[in-house]
Amino acid sequence: MGQSLILPGPESTESLAMALTAALPADAGGWTILLLGELGAGKSTFARAILRSLGHEGLVPSPTYTLVEPYTLPGYSVYHIDLYRVTSADELEFLGWSDLQDGLKLVEWPERVPRLLTLADIQIELRYAGEGRAADLKGLSERGSKVLAGVDWPA
Ligand SMILES: Nc1ncnc2c1ncn2[C@@H]1O[C@H](COP(=O)(O)OP(=O)(O)OP(=O)(O)O)[C@@H](O)[C@H]1O
Ligand SMILES: [Mg+2]
């Protein structure tokens, strides 16, 4: 079971991310959100909007080369992760996955490490749709499904 939305422009991607953030628990440390979709689908746009919603005001550099960009925010830590360059599932250990368990993990290109599907709470798949995008959201854990059920979906 999941939810599909049409996202005509970048603002829609941001609105969806904000609506999802509003539905997360007060402490989403320990949660994992997967952002799937091909190059340019809007994964970083989505992650950036979550970070802004949680109070981050500065830049959001791409983690493509660093793999992980950490953020210390008022509520909890957020780790923005990009696995595009990862070629082996072992690199999850390499990037110190076990040290990131206190924070909310936003993972771009989780397709690189299929095992992540079993460790995550929510999956958001972004795809090209005409000049805009579409999103399919799915709960992967019980708590993730509950949060999705409580999202006030943007029109
Ligand atoms: N709903 C949308 N409709 C049209 N354009 C969008 C939408 N959402 C985001 N974009 C635009 O798509 C472009 C690529 O976005 P973004 O960098 O977030 O993609 P990405 O999935 O992170 O790409 P990569 O795989 O390279 O990391 C940006 O110019 C962004 O403004
Ligand atoms: Mg990106």
Side-chain angles (χ1 to χ4, degrees):
M1 227 192 64
Q3 177 82 25
S4 294
L5 287 110
I6 301 292
L7 308 170
E11 333 66 56
S12 316
T13 305
E14 289 163 8
S15 302
L16 176 58
M18 289 189 268
L20 174 64
T21 309
L24 289 173
D27 182 357
W31 284 59
T32 300
I33 297 177
L34 306 181
L35 298 166
L36 294 86
E38 54 189 285
L39 279 172
K43 303 178 294 295
S44 296
T45 304
F46 200 100
R48 208 175 297 128
I50 292 181
L51 282 160
R52 297 254 157 82
S53 298
L54 291 172
H56 176 67
E57 289 176 348
L59 294 173
V60 178
S62 167
T64 306
Y65 293 97
T66 52
L67 293 186
V68 187
E69 289 288 340
Y71 297 84
T72 305
L73 299 180
Y76 42 86
S77 296
V78 178
Y79 301 107
H80 184 197
I81 299 166
D82 187 337
L83 301 177
Y84 184 66
R85 290 177 61 255
V86 164
T87 51
S88 147
D90 294 344
E91 292 205 41
L92 211 52
E93 270 67 53
F94 172 76
L95 68 81
W97 181 257
S98 55
D99 295 332
L100 308 181
Q101 297 316 309
D102 60 311
L104 167 64
K105 298 168 286 306
L106 308 174
V107 188
E108 296 188 42
W109 291 102
E111 296 95 325
R112 298 284 193 259
V113 183
R115 182 156 57 96
L116 276 174
L117 283 172
T118 66
L119 302 173
D121 296 290
I122 292 169
Q123 158 178 323
I124 293 136
E125 183 153 18
L126 298 158
R127 51 193 164 78
Y128 285 82
E131 312 222 321
R133 309 286 189 268
D136 298 308
L137 294 89
K138 204 166 89 180
L140 298 177
S141 69
E142 201 177 324
R143 64 183 184 177
S145 302
K146 270 191 200 150
V147 157
L148 284 187
V151 173
D152 187 8
W153 303 104

